[in-house]
Structure formats: C-alpha cells, structure tokens
Amino acid sequence: MSLPEGAELEPDRATLEGWLGQLATLGFDAVEQTATAPAVGTLGAAGNAIAATLSRAIGEAPIEGGLATLVPILRRAAEASLNTIGPGYLAYVPGGGLPTAALAEFISTLLNRYTGLAAAAPALCRLEADVLAWLAAEFGLPETARGLLTSGGSMANLTAIVTARHDRLGEGGAVHRAMIYTSDQAHHSIAKAVRTAGIPLANVRRVATDARLRLDPGALQAAIEADRGAGALPMLVVTAAGTTNTGAVDPLDAIADICAETGLWHHCDAAYGGAFVLCDEGRRRLRGISRADSITFDPHKGMFLPYGTGCLLVRDGASLRAAFDIEAPYLQDFDALDRAGEPPSPTEYGPELSRDPRGLRLWLPLQLHGAGAFRRALTEKLALASRLHRGLLELAEGGVPLEIVDVPQLSAVAWRFTRLPGEPREAHDRRNAAWLARINARARVHLSSTSLPLQPGPGGAAAGAAFTLRACVLSFRTHAPHIEACLEDIAASAST
Ligand SMILES: *Cc1c(COP(=O)(O)O)cnc(C)c1O
C-alpha cells in the first residue's frame, strides 16, 4: 500500500521510537564518556578537516542507510568541538547542560504548543510564569516584577536597554543625547545592545574600575554630573554582577543609591553571576541586586541549562510590557475568549512572537531535582573557586612566580606569571600564552584567557594590559577532584 502524497513526513510510532532509541544511546554515551574524554576536542584546521569529511549534500530522497548513516556523523561532529559538557571545562563561562533539560526540550518541541500568547496555551504559560515569579522572588524583586525567558544574556541585555530607553525617552526620544554608564569591564553584548537599540555607541561612558575591577561609584557620579552639565541626558547605568573576566561584582548598593538620586535606570548584567542568589553565600556577595530596575541572568550558565536559555527580570513589569505590547488584527480571535485569570503572554513582554516553549526547560529540572539541588551545587562552585585560589597561592609561596588578579568574588579566578624586571610586554604575554597552551595540552581541564590591566606602576602610571589565564568553575559536573587535577596541571606546566 502506498502512502498518500506528503505522508512520509509522519513516520509510524515504531519507527520514531527506534530512532529515539538510537539517538538516546548516542547522547547518553556522550554524557557517560565525558568523565574520561579529553577536556577539549579537535579544533582549528584539524576540526575543519573533520567538518569537511562529514559534510553531506541534501538529497531529494532519504539518505542511504537512514539514521544508521547519520549517527556516526553526529558522534564524530561532536568530537570536533570544545567539550562543554565535561567536568574539566573551566573556560569562558561553563554551565554543562542538564540532561533533564534535554528531556524537557524533547517533550516541549514534540508537543510544539504555541506559547507566545497565553490564551493559546494558558497552562504551559502558567508553568513558565511560575518559574519566572519564583526567580523574581529569589532575586528579591517585588510582586510587580515580570520576567522574560530569552535565547541568552545578549538578548536579555538588549531587551533591558530597549525597555530603559522606552521608559525614559518615550517614543520619539532624544537617543543621540541619551548617555549610558558602564565599567571598562562590561560584557561586549552591552555595546552591541546599545547600538541595536539605536543609541550611538559614542554615548557609552566607560567608567573606571577600582583595584578589584569593580565600577567606581565616585567616578560614576562625576561622569553623570559632567554630562548633565554639558546638556546630555544621563539615562542608564549598567552594572555587572559577575564580570566575565574575573567575576567582579560592582558595588550594587552604592550604585542603586546614585541611580535613586539621579533618576537613572539601573540595569544589572548578572548573566554569569546572577544564579548565585540561589545560595546563601552567593546572595551575600550579590547584596543590592534586588534594588536594580532590571536584571539579566543566564540559566544556561549558573543554572546549568543547555545553551539558548537567558532571562530578563524587570522590577516594574508594566514598563517591560509598555515597551513591547503592540496590537495586531490577526490575533483578535483570542480577544473573543474570556481571559480572566490568564497568565502573562511572553510576546507582550518582549520582541518575539513565535518562540520555542522555553519554560519547561527550567520547570522540569526544578521540579525533578528540587531547588535545593541547585543551591547546593552553587555553594559547591564558590567553595571550589576558593580552593583553586588557595592552591594558586600555595604555588606562589612554593616559588612559582605568579600573581593572582583577585580573591574570587564569585567562581572565576584569574592569574598570570609575574612580569620579569625589564621584560618586554610581548614576551611576558607570550610566556603566559605558552603556559595556558601547556595546561590545555594535558587535556584534563580546559582553561581560557583574557587581557587585564596590570596594576599601575609607581606614581600611578598606567601599565597597560597583560595576557591573563582564567578558570571559571560553573559546570554542575565539576567537583573537587577536577580542581585538584587543574592545580596539578597548572603546577606541572609552570616550568618550561
Ligand atoms: C555570557 C555573558 C553575557 C552574554 O550572554 P549570552 O547568553 O552569551 O548571550 C552577557 N554578560 C555577561 C556578564 C556574560 O557573562
């Protein structure tokens, strides 16, 4: 019996279950092997060569061999990458990717309900709203707060800046005079968001940081006053609660005071550090975050979710809605429903209309593991970063000529070889880059680097920036033995 035309897009249940089984084996094998797999896969030219061998033309007919042909391609493709799910992944900002979130993703996309408008799926939108309300309360925001799940921190920052602009300047708005203040350690997504929001990049003031790389409130106040005096429109301060470079937390309380006095919007970019409000120690370190007008935080970092899950929380939910809620005639059918008791519609609180149903990705892991599991994991990450810092201090005391940038303010640690007397900057940078390469070549851990200002020389002379190694402990799979391995490899690689 031949299938009706087009029906081949709906394989029967037995076929689908068979395919699911093969893909589950692939995925669970990868998770199981990650404990012993090299901390980094094949990258660069060799990775590109693998990519070239795996590339297949899209044919008119199903690929020969079906899924059995494709599974090895996927397996090999995953090898040509950073091992971001591994316990040794301490580069950039890890997270890991909870398997329970992958299960949530599977069921969300299979059910494929429409969650842009709550009227189309009130219960699924309620589950998402419950997660957002719980998060807002964890951050200490009032009940007027509303949240939005985004694809990541960059989109959350953009949504926040558009909201602040709309709230402070209205529709027309003197965007060319609107000034934005952030530190020289701000994430580059802030500049991207400013430009995308139609505000000139030149209007971003890079306020100086203190010796611990935190925005200096005195310099902020002076910059706002100077701009006001010159006829500009100070509008927004963007603080960091956990910079990407070193995890520095800006003085949130002092800056909230300045924003309250001057009437500026305070957006806190806590994409990396925000999740630490879930544990007691972290909440202490993020004191003052509850006073921000808006907060970006990335569940795909500190809540260990797969990439594609960011979050924006806005103290006055009405201002978020005012920035994004626009009527459309083709959506009028929903107005015929009795909408009493309806949860918030994501599309009224952000730029997207159709979107992947993101809520279950948080809801299912939170329900299955309980919030306590997240709190304990985050407490552990802070302790592991302290252990790493202590280990580096011991190495320095043992004679390795290294300098540590700061006591960890969250879970990132940055350090480098001390510059030798008279050593050219390039040579110093090369020695540090080679150290990083030797550590990573051992493939038990994978670290990354950044460039950070050196302490000012005698008389406060600017000393330039230096290549700096960094480790960020944030994968839920990273535990004490991995940090010991990291310290061993740092020590063993310290001599050339
Ligand atoms: C990661 C990060 C971002 C960007 O978030 P994405 O999810 O990668 O878009 C913004 N700010 C800070 C401080 C970050 O660490």
Side-chain angles (χ1 to χ4, degrees), residues 93 151-157 185-190 240-244 269-273 296 298 300-301 307-310:
V93 182
S151 56
S154 302
M155 287 307 294
N157 282 335
Q185 294 293 305
H187 192 270
H188 73 284
S189 62
I190 299 300
T243 60
T244 314
D269 179 3
Y272 153 50
T296 282
D298 259 345
H300 65 208
K301 292 175 178 167
Y307 295 118
T309 320

